Amino acid sequence: MSVEEAKTVAQRLLTDPETCTLATATGDGRPEAATIRYVGAEDYTVYFNTGTTYRKYDNLTENEKTAVVITANNQSLQIEGAATELSGEAAAAAKERYIEKYGRSKYLTAPDSTMFRIDPEWVRVLVDARYPPEYVTLVGE
């Protein structure tokens, strides 16, 4: 698969599926994975909402490094990067993107609700999971 074709697959995976798996870790490295709703951007940035009472929030405030895997139709998009909690206009803009994809949600208006952005440092499309797997790296090495 060409890089351009991989980019098309990546954009479809950033747009179409409703959920992905978010991996976080505590400051001392204890892992956690959670299924979340997300919104993706053309530059592979991922936005998501969570509550400040959830483990993933504590993990992200202790250790900003995170990974996301989005899977559909035997293809997947893997993104690794740093997560940043958003506030002010950045949080409002992310919420609007979220509303465009999912509609209004009680999660967005809950008192403990917060938005995060994952800035991609490494992005890879798994085109075919059969052995040997075929993949294209779009960001990083």
Side-chain angles (χ1 to χ4, degrees):
M1 174 174 282
S2 73
V3 170
E4 288 308 311
E5 291 170 319
K7 287 179 179 179
T8 300
V9 170
Q11 292 307 312
R12 181 180 49 76
L13 290 168
L14 282 167
T15 304
D16 293 347
E18 290 196 5
T19 60
C20 68
T21 301
L22 173 73
T24 62
T26 61
D28 63 0
R30 193 174 64 246
E32 180 202 3
T35 302
I36 61 167
R37 285 182 155 189
Y38 70 96
V39 178
E42 287 183 16
D43 65 355
Y44 313 114
T45 300
V46 174
Y47 299 89
F48 66 95
N49 171 266
T50 192
T52 59
T53 58
Y54 294 143
R55 289 188 307 164
K56 68 178 130 331
Y57 179 82
D58 291 339
N59 293 349
L60 291 168
T61 57
E62 288 180 38
N63 179 355
E64 68 182 8
K65 297 297 184 185
T66 188
V68 168
V69 177
I70 306 166
T71 302
N73 302 322
N74 204 32
Q75 295 175 322
S76 66
L77 179 64
Q78 299 168 280
I79 300 173
E80 294 177 1
T84 303
E85 187 174 6
L86 302 177
S87 62
E89 290 182 22
K95 283 183 183 181
E96 284 305 312
R97 293 176 71 107
Y98 193 91
I99 290 167
E100 286 175 19
K101 185 171 182 178
Y102 300 107
R104 301 219 174 263
S105 166
K106 291 181 183 180
Y107 281 113
L108 295 176
T109 58
D112 67 339
S113 176
T114 190
M115 296 295 296
F116 275 87
R117 176 187 70 233
I118 300 172
D119 296 308
E121 297 169 0
W122 181 83
V123 178
R124 182 170 80 174
V125 175
L126 178 64
V127 179
D128 188 340
R130 291 177 289 186
Y131 186 80
E134 180 185 350
Y135 58 86
V136 177
T137 301
L138 299 174
V139 175
E141 296 184 32

